[in-house]
Amino acid sequence: MTRIATSARGSAPDDGVDPRFGRAKGFVVFDTATQAWSYIANDAACDLPQGAGLAAAERLARAGVGVVLTGSVGPKAAQALAAARIVAHEGRFGGLVRQAVADHLAAPEHGGE
Amino acid sequence: MIVAVASGKGGTGKTTVAAALARVWERPCLAVDADVEEPNLDLYLRAREVARDRAAIEVPQVGHSERCDGCGACAEICAFKAVLAFGDFPVVFAEMCHGCGGCIAVCPHGVLVPGARELGAVRRGRAGAAESRPDLWLIEGRLRVGEAMSPPLIRQVLRDAAALAAETGADIVIDAPPGTSCPAMAAVRDADAIVLVAEPTPFGLHDLGLAVRAFADQGAPIGVVVNRADLGDSSVQAFCGDTGLPVLAELPFRREIAAACARGVPLDRLGGETLRAVTALADAVRDLAEQGMRR
């Protein structure tokens, strides 16, 4: 059972995906155990002069996220996510959060959940 | 006495002016290349290297991961996201660290210990002919390829310069990095006077304005050298008149000067009107710095 976070332009599952990781306004989270949606704001990281990706990774780790769906992740943020044992799936540059999560859960290599 | 030669816009002639000032300076002089990302003062001064030292900044490293209790104090104090705490022990991103030492100080269990990140090198040499100018030195900072931060190395260069100046009684002439952001601010911080080299063009005027505003809080008197003065318009001179900034020199555009620069020949070696202009500039700069030292 996992918490799946998607970088998003809004706070709801029908909002658009934000292709940025560190400077995304927030992350919409789907919890596969409870089937509930929630939201993690990322404003604090957006304003940082450096290390926004690291701050976002830290925030997701503290929220118990296991998977993140986003456009692309920089090398330092990728390191931080790996240290936090969060799996990052890049390549999500548009569409809605709900679709991104559905596609992820349906993908055969992830075995569905 | 410490004089910084800076500019807003790059390519105005800081290094050319700084080299010439150091060479004609009437007292013992230490020339300092603080443009550590691309040090080029030595192209004019051709110093004989006497010492080369590695420079490093103290950064944290995880020394005792087993002692970590996940309190997060290290990550909380870090302003730069160089230390993250969300698991069994902190994760350090040494290249983000600005060397404050806070995380090491606040860890209650000694998990983090001092390590080092290499910044680059500081070179020291004698820049004058042994018989005629035994009292001209050069200290140069050279940033490691891949290092993103110049100010820590610039500060190390200036500390080394202060030590050599104290030992020899030399005045310091600093060739600062271009621009008005952190590297330039670090280079001019201790100056008694700031010489801004400007060119008489719209970009030159705009960036001179930025430099004047950026360095105003530093408090040192500012003087302006207009380089290639006969090539553009008179708006830089007008700006100086309006803001009360002294124009210390107007250097003309001369093909022979450009050719000399291309061959690494410093201005004073051209003799004639160029040497006279540089010598007069040195006197004006010294007066400005004496004014600065009295404040």
Side-chain angles (χ1 to χ4, degrees):
Chain A
M1 298 283 100
T2 316
R3 306 192 78 211
I4 302 168
T6 306
S7 52
R9 296 179 190 280
S11 55
D14 293 310
D15 285 322
V17 170
D18 190 330
R20 300 167 301 175
F21 175 71
R23 306 229 181 239
K25 292 196 41 200
F27 296 86
V28 175
V29 181
F30 179 71
D31 189 325
T32 59
T34 63
Q35 297 287 301
W37 293 93
S38 58
Y39 178 68
I40 300 173
N42 193 41
D43 305 75
C46 288
D47 291 335
L48 287 177
Q50 65 174 65
L54 298 179
E58 198 176 39
R59 188 176 306 270
L60 294 184
R62 292 237 190 82
V65 165
V67 172
V68 63
L69 310 178
T70 187
S72 71
V73 172
K76 292 202 270 287
Q79 236 180 294
L81 290 170
R85 293 190 270 278
I86 297 174
V87 180
H89 292 285
E90 297 175 277
R92 222 59 228 205
F93 293 103
L96 300 185
V97 170
R98 189 186 293 281
Q99 189 62 52
V101 173
D103 290 348
H104 170 76
L105 291 174
E109 67 268 24
H110 304 308
E113 265 187 304
Chain B
M1 173 179 289
I2 301 175
V3 171
V5 181
S7 68
K9 187 177 176 299
T12 54
K14 287 180 296 305
T15 303
T16 305
V17 166
L21 280 180
R23 284 173 52 91
V24 305
W25 202 256
E26 288 190 328
R27 298 204 295 241
C29 186
L30 166 55
V32 175
D33 198 341
D35 189 2
V36 301
E37 290 183 62
E38 50 117 0
N40 59 351
L41 189 55
D42 198 29
L43 293 176
Y44 288 116
L45 296 184
R46 301 170 202 243
R48 291 175 307 290
E49 186 178 305
V50 164
R52 177 191 292 239
D53 295 309
R54 285 245 195 86
I57 186 174
E58 185 187 282
V59 297
Q61 58 186 36
V62 177
H64 303 282
S65 57
E66 70 286 353
R67 296 186 197 167
C68 178
D69 65 6
C71 75
C74 54
E76 202 183 307
I77 197 176
C78 182
F80 304 105
K81 292 296 170 208
V83 180
L84 304 186
F86 43 60
D88 303 323
F89 50 83
V91 179
V92 173
F93 290 85
E95 67 272 38
M96 312 282 279
C97 176
H98 284 56
C100 77
C103 56
I104 295 173
V106 301
C107 175
H109 308 298
V111 174
L112 294 170
V113 300
R117 182 177 88 230
E118 188 187 328
L119 294 171
V122 181
R123 303 199 308 148
R124 184 161 30 100
R126 288 188 165 271
E131 322 74 45
S132 54
R133 195 72 209 274
D135 57 357
L136 176 61
W137 296 269
L138 169 67
I139 285 184
E140 170 200 274
R142 190 166 276 261
L143 197 68
R144 170 181 64 87
V145 172
E147 173 59 42
M149 293 182 206
S150 332
L153 181 58
I154 293 173
R155 286 191 287 268
Q156 180 66 54
V157 167
L158 294 179
R159 280 194 295 271
D160 289 2
L164 183 58
E167 206 181 291
T168 57
D171 295 330
I172 295 176
V173 173
I174 299 171
D175 182 15
T180 54
S181 61
C182 299
M185 301 302 288
V188 308
R189 190 150 76 155
D190 298 326
D192 299 307
I194 300 174
V195 176
L196 294 179
V197 183
E199 66 179 37
T201 61
F203 270 127
L205 173 65
H206 176 272
D207 291 2
L208 174 64
L210 292 180
V212 169
R213 276 162 54 206
F215 300 138
D217 285 351
Q218 196 272 6
I222 294 175
V224 175
V225 170
V226 186
N227 197 10
R228 296 180 282 264
D230 46 357
L231 212 50
D233 59 32
S234 58
S235 52
V236 165
Q237 286 89 336
F239 170 81
C240 292
D242 292 341
T243 48
L245 290 172
V247 175
L248 305 177
E250 293 186 328
L251 303 176
F253 174 75
R254 291 283 179 270
R255 189 162 185 223
E256 79 162 340
I257 294 179
C261 290
R263 291 193 334 267
V265 171
L267 295 181
D268 56 292
R269 291 257 305 272
L270 293 175
E273 63 161 354
T274 305
L275 174 59
R276 277 193 293 279
V278 165
T279 315
L281 173 60
D283 288 339
V285 169
R286 195 166 67 241
D287 288 343
L288 194 71
E290 274 164 6
Q291 200 186 308
M293 288 167 80
R294 283 193 295 269
R295 67 190 158 96

